[in-house]
Amino acid sequence: MVTLKDLAKEVGVSVATVSRVLNNSGYASPEMRKRVMQAAERMNYKPNEVARALNTSRSNIIGVLVPDISNPYFPKVIRGIEDEAIKNNYRILIGNTDHDFDKESKYLEIFNQNNCAGIISATWTVTRQDNLTTRPVVLLDRVVKEHISIEADNLKGGKLQAHHLIQQGVHHVLLIKGLEDYSSFENRTLGSREVLGENQVPYEILSHTALNGTLESGDIAFLEKFDGIICPNDLVAYRVLNVLINHGVSVPDQVKVIGYDNLDFSQYVYPSLTTIEQPIYQLGRNAFKMLMKMNQGIEVESEVLDVKLIKRNST
Amino acid sequence: MVTLKDLAKEVGVSVATVSRVLNNSGYASPEMRKRVMQAAERMNYKPNEVARALNTSRSNIIGVLVPDISNPYFPKVIRGIEDEAIKNNYRILIGNTDHDFDKESKYLEIFNQNNCAGIISATWTVTRQDNLTTRPVVLLDRVVKEHISIEADNLKGGKLQAHHLIQQGVHHVLLIKGLEDYSSFENRTLGSREVLGENQVPYEILSHTALNGTLESGDIAFLEKFDGIICPNDLVAYRVLNVLINHGVSVPDQVKVIGYDNLDFSQYVYPSLTTIEQPIYQLGRNAFKMLMKMNQGIEVESEVLDVKLIKRNST
DNA sequence: TTGTATGCGTTATCAG
DNA sequence: CTGATAACGCATACAA
C-alpha cells in the first residue's frame, strides 16, 4: 500500500505538505499542489481510512441497525442509505438486532469501537440504551420524542387502509396490530381506528401474536366473521391471503384484505394485494442526508414522507 | 471512551501489561491478570477497533460484495454471513455493485483502505480486478477456477428443473437463461440442456434480456408455443407467471413453470411456484467460515452444497 | 514477570 | 508557504 510517506518521498517534500494538499487544508503553492496531485495520481495513492479514523476519532462509517435484514422491507431502506452514503464517501456497517435489547446494545458498542460517524436505527430501543454515543442518531420509521426521526406518514396510512375498505363496503373489520411499542405500527392502528370509529364500522382488534395462533390452527370460522381485514404489513397480508384462499374463502368477494408497504411481491401474490405504498428507498436516502447535516452541526427536523393507496385485486 | 492508558493508570501498571493480559499474549502473573480483568470489567473497557486495526494492519471487518441487496436472494446470504461474523467478533461492510466493474473496483479499494480482513463476493468480476489484495477472497455462488468459492449445486439444480418438467409430461420447453458469464446460471442451463437432450425433448433458449422484450410486449403467442418454462430464478418466474395468468393462460394445465431459489414468497404467488431450493443462508455462513480458515492459514477447498426440488402448483 | 519505546498512517499544531 | 513533530489507541520487540 502506498502511504503518505511514500508520496512525500517521491515528490521530495514532507508528509505535512502532502497531507495539506490532499485535504485542501492550509496553504500550498499552486505549483506544489500540482506536483503532489500528479504524484498521487501516478502512484494511485489512496488514504488509509483506518489511520484517518484513528487520528480524527471519527471514521467514515455509519452504523445501521435493523431488526432483520431478511425482512424484505429493510434491504430497500439499506439500499437507499448505502447509495447516498457511497456518494458521500461513507460506508455502512450493518447490525441485525432481532428486536433484542442486548444485541442492539452490543452493536452500539461496536459502532463506538469503530469511531462510527453516526447511526441510523430502525429499532427504537436504541433510545433507551445508555451507551448511546454523542454521535448523531436518526431513527428510521420509529418515532420517539426528543429524537430525530424520519418516517412515512403512518397515521395517514392507517386511515387510508380503513377508508378504502369502507369505500369497498365492508361492515365488520378485523384490525391486525403490528409489533407492540413501535410508533409506526401504533400510528397505523390509531389511524384505522379513528376512521372506523367515525364511520361507525364495528371492528375487532387482533394482536400480531394472536394472529399466528389463528393462522396456524387455520381457524377459518374466526376469520370468516369479517368482511374486511386490515394488515399491519404486506408480509402478514400474504399469510392471511394464503390461509383464506387455501380454505376456499373468496377474496375479495367474501372478505377484502389490505396490506401495508407495497413490497415488490405484492403484485404477484394471489389475489394481487391492495396496499399502502411508502417510499422505502427514499426513507433510507433521506435518513443519511439528515445524518450528514447533523454531523455538520446543521439543525435538522424530523421528517414525515407521504404514503399512498395502491389498489389491486384483494379488495 | 476509556482507553488502555486509563485502565493502566487505574490498575497502576503499564499499558503493555494491560494489553498483554487482555489479549492473552505474553506473560502475566495470575494476580496481575485478575486485577486487570476486574478493572476492565469495572470500567467497562472496550478496545478501540480502529486503533487495533491500524496497529495490526488488519481490521475485524470483512467486505461483502453483492450486485444489489434489494434482490431478495442476497439479504439471506448476508444474514448468514453476518450471523457467523458477529459470533466471531467480525463486522461486515456491504457494497452494491450493480454488476458494474468500476463500482466493484471502487469497493475493493475501500476494503483495502479499511484494512479489511477478507472479502466475500457474489460478483465474479472481482477476480479480474487488479487491485485485489492479498487478503483472502471467497466467491459466493460464482465459481472461477483458481479461486476459492462456495455454491449450491447448480448443475444438479438445472437437471432437477428439466427432470421434473419432463416427469410432468412437457413436450416443448422454453429455457430462459440467466445473467451471462455467471457460472451459476450457466451451469443451471447446462444441466437442464443435458437432461432435455437425453430425453429428446425439444427446447428453445431465450436470453434473460430477450425475455424482457417478450414480457413487456405481452407476446403471449410466443410463450404459448411451449408447455414448459424453465426460469433461471424465482424472480423471473414471478413475472412469467404474472403475464401468463393475466392473459388467461392456465398454469399448470396449459403450461408448467418452474423457478429457482425458493424465495420465501414463492409459496404465495399464484399459482404457488415449483422451484429448486438452495440453502441460501447456509451459503453465507459457510462462506464466512471458509474465510476465517483462510485467514488462519488453513488450507480450504471450494464447497458445493446440495439443492432440492420443491413441488408446488405451477407444475 | 513487567515496563519502555516504537510504529501503524494520518492530521494538526506549531515553528521556521 | 513548508517542515518537524506530536498525537490518535493499541500491540509488540526488546530491555530490565
Side-chain angles (χ1 to χ4, degrees):
Chain A
M1 216 183 66
V2 27
T3 70
L4 258 196
K5 211 203 285 190
D6 299 332
L7 241 191
K9 196 188 297 174
E10 167 82 5
V11 183
V13 295
S14 74
V15 293
T17 302
V18 177
S19 175
R20 268 182 310 234
V21 170
L22 262 26
N23 294 302
N24 252 318
S25 60
Y27 304 97
S29 67
E31 179 197 13
M32 181 81 280
R33 180 173 301 282
K34 196 171 144 196
R35 280 171 57 203
V36 171
M37 293 304 266
Q38 286 180 345
E41 179 77 16
R42 179 158 24 94
M43 301 179 73
N44 191 30
Y45 168 77
K46 303 287 174 189
N48 183 302
E49 303 192 343
V50 177
R52 186 177 275 179
L54 177 60
N55 183 293
T56 61
S57 312
R58 188 176 169 292
S59 72
N60 50 179
I61 295 177
I62 67 161
V64 175
L65 248 29
V66 296
D68 178 10
I69 196 180
S70 305
N71 178 327
Y73 175 85
F74 295 109
K76 276 231 166 140
V77 170
I78 292 176
R79 182 70 211 245
I81 299 174
E82 216 270 321
D83 279 0
E84 196 60 33
I86 198 70
K87 209 189 299 177
N88 289 275
N89 203 32
Y90 275 74
R91 304 89 189 68
I92 63 173
L93 217 55
I94 291 183
N96 294 292
T97 66
D98 294 320
H99 301 289
D100 180 314
F101 189 87
D102 292 334
K103 279 195 188 181
E104 196 180 284
S105 183
K106 184 168 178 193
Y107 279 111
L108 289 177
E109 199 72 70
I110 290 173
F111 295 159
N112 273 331
Q113 295 174 269
N114 284 277
N115 295 6
C116 285
I119 295 170
I120 294 177
S121 173
T123 66
W124 72 271
T125 43
V126 79
T127 58
R128 298 241 173 121
Q129 301 274 358
D130 49 1
N131 54 0
L132 200 49
T133 55
T134 58
R135 299 175 205 280
V137 176
V138 171
L139 297 180
L140 198 149
D141 204 32
R142 277 71 179 115
V143 177
V144 177
K145 62 170 175 268
E146 321 253 313
H147 287 269
I148 299 296
S149 62
I150 180 167
E151 65 166 348
D153 195 337
N154 289 292
L155 191 71
K156 175 175 175 184
K159 289 184 183 180
L160 284 177
Q161 286 182 304
H163 258 311
H164 177 68
L165 248 36
I166 292 171
Q167 267 181 350
Q168 301 294 315
V170 305
H171 296 99
H172 191 195
V173 169
L174 176 62
L175 178 51
I176 303 173
K177 284 203 307 181
L179 249 36
E180 304 283 331
D181 282 335
Y182 273 79
S183 64
S184 51
F185 290 117
E186 286 182 343
N187 285 332
R188 290 176 203 176
T189 306
L190 223 58
S192 291
R193 295 184 65 168
E194 194 179 314
V195 171
L196 256 13
E198 280 169 3
N199 289 272
Q200 295 165 317
V201 174
Y203 63 91
E204 238 173 81
I205 293 191
L206 187 68
S207 80
H208 187 253
T209 47
L211 176 76
N212 289 333
T214 308
L215 256 35
E216 275 163 26
S217 66
D219 185 357
I220 284 301
F222 173 75
L223 292 176
E224 280 185 317
K225 294 197 312 188
F226 309 93
D227 57 359
I229 301 182
I230 295 180
C231 299
N233 61 35
D234 284 359
L235 253 26
V236 167
Y238 298 165
R239 294 168 53 217
V240 169
L241 281 180
N242 203 239
V243 167
L244 252 23
I245 297 295
N246 284 343
H247 285 79
V249 179
S250 125
V251 179
D253 296 338
Q254 191 175 340
V255 44
K256 305 186 198 314
V257 177
I258 185 167
Y260 203 110
D261 283 345
N262 194 26
L263 300 181
D264 292 339
F265 310 91
S266 299
Q267 55 185 310
Y268 299 122
V269 296
Y270 181 77
S272 64
L273 185 68
T274 295
T275 187
I276 305 298
E277 176 177 283
Q278 42 173 336
I280 309 184
Y281 178 79
Q282 202 57 237
L283 240 29
R285 284 182 53 130
N286 286 20
F288 183 84
K289 286 184 188 170
M290 289 165 75
L291 205 57
M292 283 304 97
K293 281 192 190 157
M294 290 166 79
N295 257 327
Q296 293 163 30
I298 301 176
E299 182 91 15
V300 316
E301 290 187 359
S302 292
E303 282 185 25
V304 178
L305 304 187
D306 200 18
V307 298
K308 70 173 189 225
L309 175 82
I310 305 289
K311 167 77 174 79
R312 294 210 185 85
N313 301 325
S314 67
T315 57
Chain B
M1 213 183 67
V2 29
T3 71
L4 258 197
K5 211 202 287 190
D6 299 332
L7 240 190
K9 196 187 300 175
E10 167 83 4
V11 184
V13 295
S14 74
V15 293
T17 302
V18 178
S19 174
R20 269 181 309 235
V21 170
L22 262 26
N23 293 302
N24 251 319
S25 61
Y27 305 95
S29 68
E31 178 197 12
M32 180 83 280
R33 178 172 304 281
K34 197 171 143 197
R35 278 172 56 204
V36 170
M37 294 304 266
Q38 285 180 345
E41 180 77 17
R42 177 156 28 93
M43 301 180 73
N44 191 30
Y45 169 77
K46 304 287 175 187
N48 182 303
E49 302 191 345
V50 177
R52 186 177 274 177
L54 178 60
N55 182 300
T56 62
S57 311
R58 186 177 171 291
S59 73
N60 49 179
I61 296 177
I62 67 161
V64 175
L65 248 30
V66 296
D68 178 10
I69 198 180
S70 305
N71 177 327
Y73 175 85
F74 295 110
K76 277 231 165 137
V77 169
I78 291 175
R79 181 73 211 244
I81 298 174
E82 216 270 323
D83 279 359
E84 195 63 32
I86 199 69
K87 209 189 298 176
N88 289 274
N89 204 32
Y90 275 76
R91 302 89 188 72
I92 63 174
L93 216 55
I94 291 183
N96 295 291
T97 66
D98 293 321
H99 302 290
D100 180 313
F101 189 87
D102 292 332
K103 279 194 187 181
E104 196 180 285
S105 185
K106 182 167 178 193
Y107 279 111
L108 290 177
E109 200 73 68
I110 289 172
F111 295 159
N112 274 328
Q113 294 173 268
N114 284 279
N115 295 5
C116 284
I119 296 169
I120 294 178
S121 173
T123 67
W124 73 270
T125 43
V126 79
T127 58
R128 299 240 173 120
Q129 301 274 359
D130 49 2
N131 53 2
L132 201 50
T133 54
T134 59
R135 300 176 206 277
V137 176
V138 171
L139 297 179
L140 197 149
D141 204 34
R142 277 66 177 120
V143 177
V144 177
K145 63 170 176 271
E146 321 250 316
H147 288 269
I148 300 296
S149 62
I150 179 165
E151 63 165 350
D153 196 337
N154 289 293
L155 191 71
K156 176 175 174 185
K159 288 184 183 180
L160 284 177
Q161 287 182 302
H163 258 311
H164 176 68
L165 248 36
I166 292 171
Q167 268 181 351
Q168 301 293 318
V170 305
H171 297 99
H172 190 196
V173 169
L174 176 62
L175 178 51
I176 303 172
K177 282 202 308 181
L179 250 35
E180 305 283 330
D181 284 334
Y182 274 78
S183 64
S184 51
F185 290 117
E186 286 182 343
N187 284 331
R188 291 176 202 175
T189 305
L190 224 59
S192 291
R193 295 185 66 168
E194 194 179 314
V195 170
L196 256 13
E198 279 170 1
N199 289 272
Q200 295 166 315
V201 174
Y203 64 93
E204 238 173 82
I205 295 190
L206 187 68
S207 81
H208 186 254
T209 47
L211 176 74
N212 288 333
T214 307
L215 256 34
E216 275 163 26
S217 68
D219 186 358
I220 284 301
F222 172 76
L223 292 175
E224 280 186 317
K225 292 196 317 189
F226 309 93
D227 57 1
I229 302 182
I230 295 179
C231 299
N233 61 36
D234 284 359
L235 252 25
V236 168
Y238 299 164
R239 295 168 54 217
V240 169
L241 281 179
N242 202 240
V243 168
L244 253 22
I245 297 295
N246 284 343
H247 285 79
V249 178
S250 122
V251 180
D253 296 337
Q254 192 176 339
V255 43
K256 304 185 197 313
V257 177
I258 185 167
Y260 203 108
D261 283 344
N262 193 26
L263 301 182
D264 292 337
F265 310 90
S266 300
Q267 56 184 310
Y268 299 121
V269 296
Y270 181 76
S272 65
L273 186 66
T274 295
T275 188
I276 305 298
E277 174 177 283
Q278 41 173 337
I280 308 183
Y281 178 79
Q282 201 57 238
L283 239 30
R285 284 182 54 129
N286 286 18
F288 183 85
K289 286 185 187 168
M290 290 166 75
L291 205 56
M292 284 303 97
K293 282 192 189 158
M294 290 165 79
N295 258 328
Q296 294 163 29
I298 300 175
E299 182 91 17
V300 317
E301 290 187 0
S302 292
E303 282 185 24
V304 178
L305 305 187
D306 201 16
V307 297
K308 72 173 188 225
L309 176 82
I310 305 290
K311 167 75 173 80
R312 294 209 185 86
N313 299 326
S314 67
T315 58

